[in-house]
Amino acid sequence: MDKTNPVQHIMILVDGTGASFRAADFAIAMACTLPAKLTAMAVVETETLRQLLHVKILSIAEMAEFEKELQCSLERQIAEVRECALRKNLTIDAVIVAGNSEEMIQREVEAREVDLIVLSGFHSSRASRDLLTRQRQQIVDHVSCPVVVVK
């Protein structure tokens, strides 16, 4: 690690919310300033879909269709973040994975040697009842690198 720049690689977590696009803008600006490599990552949360299937909220066909729609939506969102980076003359790697977000993000952080994660803000008081908030809180609690939460 460069002692003058401890952040060489920033990962942006993209979830399609307005807050996640604000976080992406912040990460892109930070990468321009440092400079640092950028990766935009999104997770198709298949673990949640499987739980919905298990309690019979979704059928197998509905789960497959919903997973496909999530994948397409995340691809569009990643493309939007990529365009923002390109407007600042930055290249950005993109990764979309399927699985449990906490596990998949940690795996990618280690594999890609990410120094910093940037994610959108959340209200920790909602973590017990809001899935997206709970996932963000788990990332902050368990990932092995520093996390910047952008409001």
Side-chain angles (χ1 to χ4, degrees):
M1 176 177 3
D2 178 357
K3 294 196 188 298
T4 61
N5 182 6
V7 178
Q8 300 288 317
H9 190 171
I10 300 170
M11 177 179 281
I12 306 164
L13 299 183
V14 179
D15 63 25
T17 62
S20 93
F21 288 113
R22 285 190 301 277
D25 288 341
F26 179 86
I28 290 165
M30 183 182 285
C32 288
T33 302
L34 289 173
K37 179 178 178 180
L38 280 174
T39 297
M41 181 176 181
V43 180
V44 177
E45 184 59 57
T46 55
E47 183 63 31
T48 301
L49 295 177
R50 285 190 191 96
Q51 290 173 6
L52 294 173
L53 177 66
H54 179 72
V55 295
K56 301 188 186 320
I57 292 174
L58 292 178
S59 68
I60 292 173
E62 289 171 323
M63 185 180 104
E65 183 63 26
F66 197 60
E67 187 173 343
K68 181 180 173 184
E69 289 174 10
L70 284 172
Q71 176 78 27
C72 291
S73 176
L74 291 171
E75 288 171 2
R76 287 189 301 274
Q77 294 163 25
I78 291 279
E80 189 173 334
V81 170
R82 178 177 275 148
E83 286 299 315
C84 290
L86 289 174
R87 285 193 293 272
K88 300 286 186 178
N89 296 317
L90 292 174
T91 58
I92 185 168
D93 291 336
V95 59
I96 299 175
V97 296
N100 175 288
S101 58
E102 181 184 346
E103 293 170 8
M104 301 309 290
I105 291 167
Q106 181 59 37
R107 186 182 78 189
E108 292 296 322
V109 162
E110 291 171 3
R112 295 171 182 274
E113 299 178 341
V114 171
D115 302 307
L116 180 71
I117 292 177
V118 176
L119 60 84
S120 57
F122 57 93
H123 297 282
S124 59
S125 62
R126 295 184 188 164
S128 63
R129 64 182 188 277
D130 180 57
L131 178 62
L132 188 55
T133 299
R134 186 170 48 249
Q135 290 168 347
R136 290 175 184 154
Q137 184 66 54
Q138 288 174 341
I139 292 162
V140 169
D141 289 347
H142 300 290
V143 77
S144 61
C145 67
V147 176
V148 171
V149 178
V150 179
K151 291 182 162 189

